[in-house]
Amino acid sequence: KALERAVAVATVIKAAEAAGAAAVLFERTVDYLRDRVQFGRTIASYQVIKHRLADLQIEVEAMRAATYYAALALCDDLEDAADAVSTAGSYVPEAFAHLAGESLQLHGGIGFTWEHDVHLFVRRAKSDQPLFGDPRWHRDRLFDSLETARSGGGA
């Protein structure tokens, strides 16, 4: 029981760190795209870039929501705390890795250089994925919880 609680707390803390890092990376990416001029226009002024940024903003907000609820459920010992933690553990690491990859693409060649911090975010996102249960492990826990509720509800 104590080990499960420790893994749950660590999962939520790591999700909070990832959600915060993703928000910072997103802001830096938007700032870069507003400053970078290509073909006489800022990159951020192109419609296709605006759509990509809108999708990334949704990911950041979803990461925050999953993390906030997992923390709330864990702190208040809510009935669905384990499911909330597994939701955050399955979604946040993958979303952060996706956002980091998108940010790297949006930064272009400069994102691969040591002079820019984007590569640090990418490495952090990838190295954090397997910690405290990888996303697949958390999805399996959610599936097991659903199956248990389903079989228990039908009896």
Side-chain angles (χ1 to χ4, degrees), residues 11 15 62-63 65-67 69-70 80-93 135 138-139 141-142:
T11 299
M63 290 169 65
T67 302
Y69 186 73
D80 64 342
D83 290 347
V85 169
S86 286
T87 299
S90 67
Y91 178 73
V92 173
H138 283 289
R139 281 192 294 276
R141 287 186 61 187
L142 285 168

Side-chain angles (χ1 to χ4, degrees), residues 21 75 85 88 92 111 116-117 122 124 144 147:
C75 287
V85 169
V92 173
H116 207 281
D117 291 341
V122 172
R124 172 57 65 95
D144 291 344
E147 284 295 311

Side-chain angles (χ1 to χ4, degrees), residues 87-104:
T87 299
S90 67
Y91 178 73
V92 173
E94 286 186 342
F96 181 33
H98 176 258
L99 188 136
E102 287 289 308
S103 177
L104 187 63

Side-chain angles (χ1 to χ4, degrees), residues 15-44:
E17 179 189 22
V24 168
L25 181 57
F26 178 75
E27 288 175 23
R28 289 184 183 183
T29 301
V30 170
D31 290 344
Y32 172 77
L33 295 173
R34 284 182 179 150
D35 291 341
R36 178 79 169 108
V37 175
Q38 193 69 36
F39 305 114
R41 294 173 53 186
T42 62
I43 295 174

